[in-house]
Each structure stands twice: as C-alpha cells, then as structure tokens.
Amino acid sequence: MINKINQYFFSFNELNFDEEKLIRAFKDFSTQNVPLLKNTWNQLYSFIQQNCKAVAGYRYFESDSISYQNNILIIDDTQFNLSPIIYRDLKDATDIILFVCTIGNKLEEKVQELVSSGDTISAFILDRIASELVELTADLLENKIQSELTSVGYNLTNRYSPGYCGWSVSDQKKFFSLLPENFCGVRLTESSLMLPIKSVSGIYGTAHNLIRKDYHCEICDDEFCYRRKTDKGIII
Amino acid sequence: MNFSFDENYLLSQLALCIERGKLNSSSKFPADMISQPGVEELLPELLSRNISPKIILDNGLLIGMNRVGEKFRDGKIFIPDVLISAKAMNAAMEILRPYIVKGDLKLKGKVILATVKGDLHNIGKNLVRMVLEGGGWEVIDLGIDVSSDKILDALKTNDIKAVGLSALLTTTMLNMKDIVRDIKNNFPEIPVAVGGAPLNQRFADEINADLYSPDPQGMLDYLNNNFSLN
Ligand code: B12
C-alpha cells in the first residue's frame, strides 16, 4: 500500500523542461523577438539546472479519517469548505491526498538580483520559467502517486488547489495544519502566502476503480477565473 | 518644425527603434533589424546635431512608445514585446539622464508603486514600473510588503501624481482596502490604481480605487490622459 507520508526530490533533468516547452510557455513573444528568449534561456540554463531544487511530498489520509457533509470535507477534525465544483468531484473518493511542491527559493532570488541589476526582461523570463518548473514538479508528483496507486487499483480525481475553483485560499492555514511543519521546505505566512513563492499545494481524492471526471466550468460562477474553459472546451 | 530631411528621418528611425525594441546595432533582436543602428546610436547622433532632448523625447521616443501602446490595446502585441520596447526606452532615458539632472528635460511626473502589506510578489509590480518609466514617468518603488504608513510618508515628502498598488492573492488584496482608505483620507486628490492577478473591476470599485487595470499599459494610458505633459 502507498506510504502515509512521502517526499521526492527531482533533478532538473527529470522535470523535462526543454526548448520546445520554453517556446510553448512564451507564445506571447513575437517571432522577431524569439532570439532574445533563446539567448536568455541559454545564459540562464546552467544556473537553472544547478539551482532548481524540486521537492514534492504528500500525506495520505485513509477513509477512516475522512467524512463528507454538504460541500464540506472533514479530514480528522479539520473542515474544508470546498466549493460545489470540487466537492462534486471529491465526494466519490474514499481516501484523500494533500500535497505540496516547490522548486526552492534560488530562482526567485536570482529574479530579484536581475531586477536590481536593471535586467527586468531576463527577470520576467526566469520568473515564468520558474513557474513552469513548479507546475512540472506537481505533474511529476502526480505521475508518481498514480503509479503507486495503480498497483492497488486506485485512481486519482482531478487536482485541486486552495484558491482555485471557488475554494478559498485562506483555507491554506487549515491545509498546512495537517502537514508536518516545514513540509518539503514550504511554510505559510500570516497572509497565507507560501514561501518559497514558487510552491503549489493541492488535494486529490482517490478510490478503488474511480473514474476521473472532466472539469466542470459551467457550474462555477467565477467569471474571472483564468482557467475558465470556453464553450469549445478550450482553457483560455 | 524646421529640421532637415536627415533629422526628421533620424527621429522617425528612433521612434521605430523604440517601437520594435532595437537597442543597438549589435543586438540580435528584432530578427528583421539585425545590424541596423539602434537607440544607442541614433540618439547620440541626434544630440550631436543639436536637436534638443525635448524634441528627441516628444518627436521620437514617445511617438514610438505611443505606437507600442496602440498595438498592445489592439491585441497585436503582448506584454513581452511591450517590455522589450520599454527596455529600449529606458536605455534612451539613461542617455538623456544628464539633461534631466540639469533640469533641461522634465519627466512627466512622479508615481508611487508598491506591493501591499502581507504580499511578497514582486514581478508584476516591477513590470508596471518598467512600462511607466518607459512612458516617461518617474517611479518611486516602495517594494514589497508595504503598509499605509510608508506610502503616506512618501506622499508627504514628494510631489506625487498617483499611487499604484499590486497584490497576488485574494488574501493579500484585501489589505488594499485599508491602504486606499488611508490614502483617500489624507490625500483625497491622489488617484489610486490597483492591479494584480486576483483583482477585477468589481473589487476595485468596492474599495474605491480610481483605476483597475489588468496590465501596466492601462495605468500608463490613465496617467497620460489625466496629467498633461510638463
Ligand atoms: C504563474 C502563477 C503561479 C506560479 C507562480 C506564482 C508567483 N507568484 O510567482 C505558481 C505555480 C507557483 C503559483 C502558485 C499559486 N497560485 Co498562482 N497563478 C499564477 C498565474 C497563472 C500567473 C501569475 C503571474 O505570475 N503572472 C505573471 C506576472 C508578471 O503577472 P502579475 O503579477 O499578474 O502582474 C501583471 C498584471 O497583473 C499587472 N499588474 C500587477 N500589479 C499591478 C499593479 C497595478 C497598479 C497595475 C495597473 C497593474 C498591475 O501587470 C503585470 C504585468 O502584466 C495566476 C493567474 C493569472 N493568469 O494571472 C495564478 C494566480 C495568481 N494563482 C492563484 C493561486 C490561488 C495560487 C496558489 C495559492 C495555488 C496553490 N494553492 O498552490 C499558489 C500560491 C503560491 C504562493 N507562494 O503562495 C490565484 C490567486 C487568486 C486567489 N484565489 O487568491 C490566481 C489568480 C489564479 C486563479 N485562481 O485564478 N501561481
């Protein structure tokens, strides 16, 4: 069975971020300026490779510590007021996984250094690359968890994070109270900001033979959500 | 205006270099302008022909930046290209700095920028700064995790035209409310602009901010429209 608590350290190479992903992440650069993007990437590459410290971990809660009630998920004694959109998906899960991942603060510090030296464009590029890397860390963690679960016939729901799909970001406090202190090197400030900044937290449900649902944007009223899908089902 | 054909040509080339973000002849981008002269060659050339810094600013640099603004509003270019132009503009302003220091050339005015209390997200605000500076405004950047006191102090000691506030999360954007209130209580005439990923017009209205803009260009346009040049 899957470990109750687990941590992974991923090398930069495992994250698999290459020039193709770079170009995809910067589609808003005009073609004429792509040489600048590639040049900056080449200059920053070895720094990123050496200083991207991807760490990801999760805590697994079995069914005896989970209960559900009217859009509320209760883990041990902690209540999460999930929005209908998340509740609808998670309520079929018997077990719950809370995860955190980060790439550390070295890239963030470098962004600051670049800004201070007046190179705001390189700072902007590195900042966005760092965001991509932490998302890739979360994807890699998902693969790890899913492959451990597959062996026992369990599947994961979609991934949800405090601050998305109507789940309040202030629930981060309760979320972190269920994890060991400084888990994966991430801590929370008074205002619910995770440090290092390039960190992500989230939740999965899991159950035997669970079928993963589609995202359901039409029942969510957050007209400003940047992940909102259009009528054609494309995430804008 | 009475310039020779040459000088008008140089000014229009300078505007083009700002529009396209062409820094100097050795820069590798934009790819279609390789080995052509850039801002760092054209501007000194104009100065050496005794064209005044003010003419260079108004008839060259700002024309280029205005075109960048138009293209951004029309959805023809996005943030990275705006930043690339702003960078060329910042290089131009660096060359003109001695004239600004002497008082021969005036910037449009001073603006305060800050990421609000409880929030450490810096990059959005830095991009706003770059675009405003590129548009000819002087920015007093108070940094991150900034409370009302620091902003009120800066308002007391400087001649400020507007304040811009930034936040990353819904938890930290709530701190904007008190800051806007404190500014309005002490300096009712100072407009406050707010921005950052979780914000929207509805929230800006609720906290009595004067402007919400999803991008730096919106604040630049607001400043340019509301405060006449020099
Ligand atoms: C990239 C990203 C991340 C990255 C990096 C974040 C970072 N701070 O570096 C990662 C993956 C780490 C991340 C994590 C999280 N994120 Co996030 N993230 C984003 C995303 C997609 C882009 C943010 C960004 O960096 N943009 C690039 C910078 C340059 O843009 P910017 O700061 O917004 O600034 C621009 C404008 O806003 C404007 N602007 C900014 N300030 C000002 C000021 C003025 C006066 C003006 C005029 C304009 C202006 O100009 C700038 C240039 O265009 C946004 C959604 C979106 N599309 O905006 C969500 C978003 C910010 N994230 C969100 C959330 C919830 C989170 C998490 C809490 C999720 C989680 N539980 O893990 C964490 C929090 C991380 C933490 N440290 O606590 C929410 C925040 C809303 C909320 N509910 O609080 C957003 C809005 C997504 C959403 N739900 O719609 N995130």
Side-chain angles (χ1 to χ4, degrees):
Chain A
M1 195 49 199
I2 184 161
N3 279 331
K4 292 280 171 290
I5 227 165
N6 211 349
Q7 250 189 76
Y8 297 94
F9 297 83
F10 301 125
S11 70
F12 174 73
N13 292 346
E14 279 175 281
L15 298 181
N16 224 346
F17 186 80
D18 51 17
E19 206 169 288
E20 196 191 318
K21 290 204 177 97
L22 176 81
I23 302 290
R24 220 182 305 141
F26 287 90
K27 280 197 297 249
D28 51 354
F29 258 76
S30 69
T31 326
Q32 299 294 344
N33 287 327
V34 168
L36 165 68
L37 176 62
K38 289 193 178 167
N39 207 17
T40 310
W41 164 243
N42 289 335
Q43 274 168 13
L44 293 172
Y45 182 82
S46 68
F47 180 86
I48 297 174
Q49 195 190 28
Q50 283 162 32
N51 292 285
C52 170
K53 305 281 183 210
V55 189
Y58 65 79
R59 179 163 177 204
Y60 192 99
F61 297 87
E62 281 184 48
S63 52
D64 51 0
S65 36
I66 311 282
S67 58
Y68 294 97
Q69 225 176 63
N70 283 339
N71 288 337
I72 293 180
L73 160 70
I74 306 163
I75 307 179
D76 292 336
D77 287 329
T78 307
Q79 300 196 0
F80 292 101
N81 197 347
L82 303 174
S83 65
I85 188 162
I86 304 179
Y87 186 76
R88 191 178 169 277
D89 201 0
L90 286 194
K91 71 177 188 328
D92 299 333
T94 52
D95 300 1
I96 290 288
I97 296 167
L98 302 185
F99 76 88
V100 175
C101 53
T102 185
I103 56 158
N105 59 11
K106 291 280 178 286
L107 269 55
E108 217 171 290
E109 283 170 12
K110 180 76 175 177
V111 167
Q112 228 14 73
E113 208 181 294
L114 288 165
V115 168
S116 306
S117 72
D119 191 355
T120 311
I121 293 184
S122 298
F124 165 73
I125 292 172
L126 180 59
D127 185 82
R128 195 184 286 178
I129 292 174
S131 297
E132 290 292 315
L133 292 173
V134 65
E135 296 277 7
L136 289 173
T137 306
D139 293 346
L140 212 53
L141 177 70
E142 178 168 327
N143 293 344
K144 291 274 185 204
I145 300 175
Q146 181 58 67
S147 62
E148 285 170 34
L149 288 173
T150 304
S151 60
V152 288
Y154 275 56
N155 292 322
L156 292 173
T157 61
N158 287 301
R159 181 199 308 169
Y160 295 99
S161 291
Y164 278 89
C165 308
W167 185 10
S168 168
V169 75
S170 53
D171 265 9
Q172 286 273 65
K173 293 221 168 110
K174 292 190 234 163
F175 186 103
F176 274 80
S177 74
L178 292 170
L179 298 173
E181 204 164 313
N182 219 13
F183 191 46
C184 300
V186 178
R187 67 178 184 90
L188 206 61
T189 66
E190 202 37 51
S191 50
S192 295
L193 190 71
M194 286 181 282
L195 296 180
I197 296 263
K198 299 297 177 190
S199 303
V200 169
S201 66
I203 190 169
Y204 294 100
T206 178
H208 197 249
N209 288 338
L210 179 134
I211 297 166
R212 194 171 178 139
K213 292 194 176 105
D214 281 342
Y215 266 121
H216 279 282
C217 287
E218 66 278 7
I219 63 165
C220 171
D221 60 3
D222 184 0
E223 60 185 295
F224 299 109
C225 177
Y226 93 107
R227 278 198 171 162
R228 197 166 188 84
K229 289 183 183 174
T230 62
D231 295 344
K232 296 185 187 78
I234 304 161
I235 294 178
I236 43 168
Chain B
M1 258 161 284
N2 240 347
F3 305 127
S4 70
F5 169 79
D6 254 18
E7 280 139 14
N8 269 326
Y9 175 75
L10 286 175
L11 281 167
S12 69
Q13 281 302 106
L14 183 63
L16 179 68
C17 287
I18 292 293
E19 182 186 345
R20 303 292 315 283
K22 176 74 176 165
L23 203 55
N24 55 43
S25 54
S26 51
S27 45
K28 304 272 187 299
F29 59 91
D32 57 345
M33 289 176 83
I34 274 180
S35 73
Q36 291 178 27
V39 170
E40 290 177 348
E41 286 93 10
L42 292 169
L43 208 164
E45 174 65 25
L46 281 158
L47 286 171
S48 74
R49 294 180 185 217
N50 284 327
I51 306 294
S52 81
K54 173 133 179 61
I55 298 286
I56 295 177
L57 183 64
D58 292 347
N59 296 11
L61 302 173
L62 289 178
I63 293 199
M65 272 317 269
N66 288 343
R67 280 194 219 131
V68 173
E70 261 163 51
K71 287 201 285 187
F72 181 78
R73 278 188 297 273
D74 293 347
K76 292 186 180 135
I77 57 169
F78 304 99
I79 293 286
D81 288 7
V82 176
L83 297 179
I84 289 167
S85 292
K87 184 171 184 170
M89 185 68 184
N90 291 346
M93 296 312 284
E94 224 20 75
I95 301 174
L96 293 179
R97 185 148 313 274
Y99 301 91
I100 300 168
V101 173
K102 261 200 294 175
D104 293 349
L105 183 65
K106 284 203 174 65
L107 293 175
K108 293 179 185 170
K110 279 187 199 161
V111 187
I112 290 175
L113 289 180
T115 294
V116 295
K117 200 168 147 236
D119 204 319
L120 309 176
H121 180 73
N122 213 351
I123 191 80
K125 169 185 61 65
N126 286 326
L127 302 189
V128 178
R129 173 181 177 168
M130 189 172 185
V131 172
L132 296 186
E133 286 180 345
W137 290 84
E138 194 175 337
V139 173
I140 299 185
D141 185 346
L142 296 181
I144 53 179
D145 197 13
V146 178
S147 59
S148 294
D149 291 354
K150 212 167 164 190
I151 296 174
L152 294 178
D153 279 352
L155 281 165
K156 276 177 208 144
T157 45
N158 293 282
D159 177 17
I160 300 290
K161 295 279 192 276
V163 177
L165 303 174
S166 179
L168 174 79
L169 295 178
T170 40
T171 44
T172 57
M173 82 180 187
L174 295 177
N175 295 336
M176 285 179 163
K177 187 173 177 182
D178 292 347
I179 298 181
V180 174
R181 189 202 54 219
D182 291 345
I183 296 173
K184 293 288 169 196
N185 281 344
N186 291 281
F187 297 90
E189 72 291 355
I190 299 280
V192 183
V194 292
L199 275 92
N200 55 49
Q201 187 63 52
R202 200 192 299 149
F203 178 74
D205 292 342
E206 272 167 31
I207 63 167
N208 286 322
D210 300 273
L211 173 81
Y212 161 70
S213 169
D215 50 66
Q217 190 65 43
M219 181 162 175
L220 179 61
D221 293 345
Y222 176 88
L223 292 173
N224 287 342
N225 292 336
N226 284 278
F227 301 96
S228 57
L229 299 184
N230 296 328

